[in-house]
Amino acid sequence: MSAPHANTTPGERLPDTRDLVGIGFGPANLALAIAVKEHNDQRAPGDAIRASFVERQDDFDWHRGMLLEGATMQVSFLKDLVTLRNPGSAFSFVHYLQDRGRLVDFVNHKTFFPTRIEFHDYFRWCAARFREQVRYATTVTGVAPAPGSDTAGVVDELDVLTRPAGAPEAAGSAGLRARNIAIGTGLVPRLPAGVETGERIWHNRDLLHRAPLLTERTHRRFVVVGAGQSAAETADHLHRTFPDAEVCAVFRRYGYSPADDSPFANRIFDPAAVDEFYRAPQGVKQQLLGYHANTNYSVVDGDLIERLYRTVYQEKVAGTERLRIMGASEFAAAAPTSDGVRVTVRSLTGGETLALDCDALVLATGYRAGDPLDLLGDLADECLTDGQGRLRIGRDHRVETTPRLRAGIYLQGASTEHSHGITSSLLSTLAVRSGEIRDSLLLNAAERDLRAGAPLPTAPANRG
């Protein structure tokens, strides 16, 4: 796998140089780690892809603050980390169930959609096998050309600079040297302009961490802003968890809109749809994103909508209305008070404003893609962009760069939605995408070896 380095003979491996360093170790880079391992298990040790990963959390964690009791996945268990690429993989959800002793029980459950809590446990079950390859509790501070790699005007290797999570910048940086990096740092919470989170103002991702700490609740009221699945789940959870409190759900739509999960619409999440989207003209890409936004953005599972409506109606019958659906309204402002938050809500139809004193404001206002260029420093100038200033990304998920930068930069997540489609930030194609990135690593390594005169990899030891 390894290409030679200056001052080495062809084929010689530097012991401190990785073929791949993954930045972030969420589901995307976990799927990549599995794809790499399955390749390595069939190759001679000298032809293995040497991979390491860096994760700022103390352990593998996936939206733990929203692992609500009873909340189910919105994708089939067959869209796990491996099955669509390798149905026989030992890392499949079915193998996980067998290992946990629940395979027959799950079959009898007659569902394609496990709970979010169970799928989180599946992810952790997979991640546990890569503990030696992951530097947890470590923050990546930047990426720079490796000293000595910038020879003849070409950068072949990168240093991924790190420091312990929580340490001040003055603590300095250590590094991991890599021929390729895969950036999978996840999404960044989107907050209304001018609003900062605090003791009583949270993004919904912190719901289960913050809500139990509210031991003093003067107003017995929560305000939830947002119209999507997480917003509806948050309102439902608070309503059930705090039976003495009023929950006000604020959003611009007249009511919650159902997600389109019909079979034909779901084809937008198929691996083949990524190929079609990537080849499409830019105007068609924008049309497809618009047509199918209701499969993912600001929409709610139909069963949850029915349950919330049933709750509102039954409370009207009983004369105790605790769940208030404030549609056609918008969040206008929030001001912390001595015992809570004063939230200002504006009617979109009449323009009137209403002040709501509440114990906590929960912003279920979604996420945005982080900018991968923030990590690259001066190397960002070597990354090519399109006419709208967005990164140009190859079908293999590799950023297109100037000839000076030969080291590979691969992107996983929402920052590729403009090029690869709506599934970029979702779980649906993780299994296939990880195989595509792995194969690209191998192809680019073979090209480097040919340029340097290194011997080609040996044949697989076992293709079974």
Side-chain angles (χ1 to χ4, degrees), residues 88 188 204 258 325 334 341 344 377 417 440:
V188 180
N204 69 276
I325 305 299
V341 184
T344 303
E417 185 176 88
S440 177

Side-chain angles (χ1 to χ4, degrees), residues 170-192:
S173 295
L176 289 169
R177 186 156 297 180
R179 297 183 176 90
N180 303 275
I181 62 172
I183 301 176
T185 50
L187 298 166
V188 180
R190 180 187 290 115
L191 301 176

Side-chain angles (χ1 to χ4, degrees), residues 92-376:
S92 70
F93 184 73
V94 170
H95 274 76
Y96 155 80
L97 290 171
Q98 184 182 47
D99 185 67
R100 290 288 198 246
R102 295 198 304 269
L103 180 55
V104 173
D105 295 329
F106 185 84
V107 171
N108 290 337
H109 197 30
K110 297 181 180 179
T111 182
F112 273 87
F113 306 102
T115 65
R116 203 174 294 158
I117 290 174
E118 184 173 32
F119 223 65
H120 181 266
D121 188 58
Y122 158 66
F123 286 152
R124 288 177 60 85
W125 176 80
C126 292
R129 303 196 220 179
F130 296 94
R131 180 161 295 278
E132 293 184 358
Q133 291 178 244
V134 184
R135 294 190 180 185
Y136 286 107
T138 302
T139 298
V140 173
T141 60
V143 178
S149 70
D150 191 354
T151 58
V154 173
V155 177
D156 284 317
E157 296 179 0
L158 303 172
D159 275 349
V160 179
L161 307 177
T162 68
R163 67 168 179 263
E169 292 185 16
S173 295
L176 289 169
R177 186 156 297 180
R179 297 183 176 90
N180 303 275
I181 62 172
I183 301 176
T185 50
L187 298 166
V188 180
R190 180 187 290 115
L191 301 176
V195 176
E196 295 184 1
T197 57
E199 183 179 354
R200 291 179 181 265
I201 300 177
W202 328 313
H203 189 269
N204 69 276
R205 71 170 183 173
D206 296 320
L207 177 64
L208 293 184
H209 305 314
R210 297 298 192 92
L213 303 179
L214 286 181
T215 56
E216 296 184 8
R217 294 185 292 107
T218 303
H219 306 288
R220 296 186 180 182
R221 175 187 288 142
F222 295 91
V223 174
V224 179
V225 177
Q229 181 73 20
S230 293
E233 289 179 351
T234 296
D236 180 59
H237 174 78
L238 292 173
H239 184 269
R240 290 185 288 105
T241 304
F242 298 94
D244 63 338
E246 177 183 271
V247 178
C248 300
V250 178
F251 45 83
R252 292 187 175 95
R253 299 187 179 201
Y254 200 78
Y256 291 116
S257 298
D260 185 355
D261 61 352
S262 57
F264 289 114
N266 272 347
R267 285 181 172 176
I268 196 68
F269 304 121
D270 291 353
V274 178
D275 287 322
E276 295 166 355
F277 187 93
Y278 188 83
R279 292 193 301 263
Q282 185 57 45
V284 174
K285 285 185 169 75
Q286 290 303 120
Q287 289 176 344
L288 289 172
L289 289 173
Y291 293 154
H292 295 287
N294 64 345
T295 61
N296 184 56
Y297 294 115
S298 296
V299 288
V300 182
D301 178 76
D303 290 341
L304 179 55
I305 293 176
E306 294 289 338
R307 185 164 76 244
L308 291 173
Y309 188 88
R310 189 161 50 248
T311 297
V312 169
Y313 182 79
Q314 290 172 349
E315 288 184 349
K316 283 185 176 181
V317 172
T320 55
E321 298 181 39
R322 289 197 305 112
L323 180 58
R324 295 176 61 187
I325 305 299
M326 304 178 70
S329 301
E330 65 179 357
F331 166 83
T337 63
S338 60
D339 57 0
V341 184
R342 173 161 290 184
V343 178
T344 303
V345 177
R346 180 184 298 111
S347 168
L348 293 178
T349 55
E352 307 91 352
T353 60
L354 175 67
L356 297 171
D357 289 318
C358 61
D359 299 301
L361 166 64
V362 186
L363 300 166
T365 45
Y367 295 84
R368 60 178 175 83
D371 188 350
L373 296 180
D374 291 342
L375 290 173
L376 298 181

